């Protein structure tokens, strides 16, 4: 018949907590200090507010097993996806393993903008903006797209350097997709006429500096 959880205030090192089959109606301010908690069973209680419950459990980065079934909040539409999104460390929710598909669905529902960026980058979706290369003459008549990136990168011509910073958030999610597309699927082929390249022995006998040999490089995007 437990209703009040204030007796847990000093139990900072708990890793497992079994509070199922009681009369708990609210956990606000009672569990957030249990950062080491790995298993929390709260099924068969009277928890009604899903938002407050999830907010209280957000700081539990070690929480892997969570039971909330047979509570009024479990009847809320989207209850399971809400818990999965806001408590990403949970692996077993209401005795059912959390699947990758559920995590993707939760991201799509609660952070649709980020979901679109992840999908575009991962699956190479077509961009609505044309890619403009730095050539003297271009057949593209539309203006080049300008990326809103930090000023420290603006004068860098090294695409590989820009690619290494792709994880930094952009003001516009479409910019992340654009930058990823600019550095994706670049193939480079180089050819050299090896008959014109002197061997080590020839260079040693001639005792002179080797002239730079001709190298043909072709890039495909």
């Amino acid at each position: 018949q437990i209703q009040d959880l204030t007796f847990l205030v000093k139990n900072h090192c708990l890793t497992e907590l079994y509070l199922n089959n009681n009369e708990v109606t609210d956990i606000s301010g009672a569990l957030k200090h249990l950062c080491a908690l790995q298993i929390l069973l709260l099924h068969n209680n009277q928890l009604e507010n899903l938002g407050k419950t999830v907010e209280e459990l957000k700081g539990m980065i070690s929480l892997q097993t969570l039971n909330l079934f047979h509570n009024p909040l479990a009847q809320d539409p989207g209850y399971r996806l809400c818990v999965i999104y806001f408590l990403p460390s949970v692996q077993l929710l209401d005795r059912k393993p959390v699947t990758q598909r559920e995590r993707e669905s939760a991201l799509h529902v609660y952070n649709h903008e980020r979901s679109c960026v992840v999908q575009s980058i991962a699956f190479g979706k077509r961009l609505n903006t044309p890619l403009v290369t730095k050539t003297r003459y271009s057949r593209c008549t539309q203006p080049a797209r300008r990326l809103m990136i930090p000023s420290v990168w603006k004068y860098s011509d090294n695409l590989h350097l820009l690619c290494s910073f792709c994880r930094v958030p952009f003001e516009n999610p479409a910019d992340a997709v654009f930058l990823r597309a600019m550095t994706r699927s670049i193939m480079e082929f180089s050819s050299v006429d090896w008959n014109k390249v002197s061997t080590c022995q020839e260079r040693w006998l001639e005792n002179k500096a080797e002239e730079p040999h001709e190298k043909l490089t072709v890039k495909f995007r």
Side-chain angles (χ1 to χ4, degrees):
Q1 304 298 317
I2 295 177
Q3 297 180 359
D4 186 10
L5 302 180
T6 55
F7 62 90
L8 293 170
V9 175
K10 297 182 179 180
N11 294 272
H12 295 276
C13 297
L14 283 178
T15 58
E16 300 182 14
L17 183 57
Y18 303 91
L19 290 169
N20 49 299
N21 303 318
N22 282 288
E23 299 294 333
V24 179
T25 59
D26 189 11
I27 61 173
S28 299
L31 301 179
K32 64 174 57 179
H33 62 286
L34 304 177
C35 298
L37 203 62
Q38 299 177 11
I39 299 176
L40 176 59
L41 305 187
L42 280 167
H43 54 281
N44 290 327
N45 277 282
Q46 300 300 320
L47 296 172
E48 297 182 357
N49 194 312
L50 179 60
K52 287 184 177 180
T53 301
V54 170
E55 186 67 27
E56 182 70 16
L57 304 179
K58 270 185 179 180
M60 298 182 181
I61 58 176
S62 300
L63 188 62
Q64 299 179 5
T65 300
L66 175 63
N67 281 357
L68 291 173
F69 62 89
H70 291 171
N71 279 283
L73 59 78
Q75 304 301 319
D76 290 5
Y79 146 75
R80 185 173 174 87
L81 292 184
C82 176
V83 175
I84 290 174
Y85 178 75
F86 289 104
L87 304 175
S89 63
V90 173
Q91 305 294 326
L92 190 67
L93 176 59
D94 294 343
R95 299 177 179 174
K96 295 181 180 179
V98 177
T99 65
Q100 182 61 30
R101 182 180 294 274
E102 287 180 318
R103 295 192 188 280
E104 293 172 358
S105 298
L107 180 65
H108 182 75
V109 172
Y110 291 95
N111 196 340
H112 181 70
E113 193 173 68
R114 177 176 173 81
S115 175
C116 291
V117 172
V118 171
Q119 291 180 8
S120 298
I121 293 176
F123 301 104
K125 289 187 177 180
R126 184 182 298 275
L127 289 174
N128 296 326
T129 306
L131 302 179
V132 180
T133 56
K134 295 182 179 180
T135 54
R136 180 175 297 182
Y137 304 103
S138 175
R139 295 181 181 179
C140 181
T141 57
Q142 299 185 23
R145 179 182 178 85
R146 297 183 61 185
L147 290 177
M148 299 299 294
I149 58 179
S151 58
V152 68
W153 306 344
K154 289 184 179 179
Y155 303 102
S156 173
D157 294 327
N158 192 341
L159 288 177
H160 296 287
L161 177 61
L162 293 179
C163 186
S164 65
F165 290 98
C166 285
R167 295 182 180 179
V168 178
F170 287 78
E171 295 179 5
N172 184 358
D175 291 339
V177 180
F178 178 75
L179 181 58
R180 182 68 181 90
M182 287 294 293
T183 57
R184 182 182 60 230
S185 302
I186 296 180
M187 295 185 294
E188 181 176 307
F189 297 92
S190 299
S191 59
V192 177
D193 187 356
W194 292 101
N195 293 325
K196 297 181 181 180
V197 179
S198 58
T199 63
C200 294
Q201 186 176 7
E202 290 173 346
R203 288 198 300 270
W204 180 74
L205 292 175
E206 294 175 2
N207 195 21
K208 63 178 181 180
E210 181 183 8
E211 297 181 358
H213 50 269
E214 296 180 358
K215 179 180 179 181
L216 177 62
T217 301
V218 182
K219 288 186 177 181
F220 297 91
R221 189 186 302 280

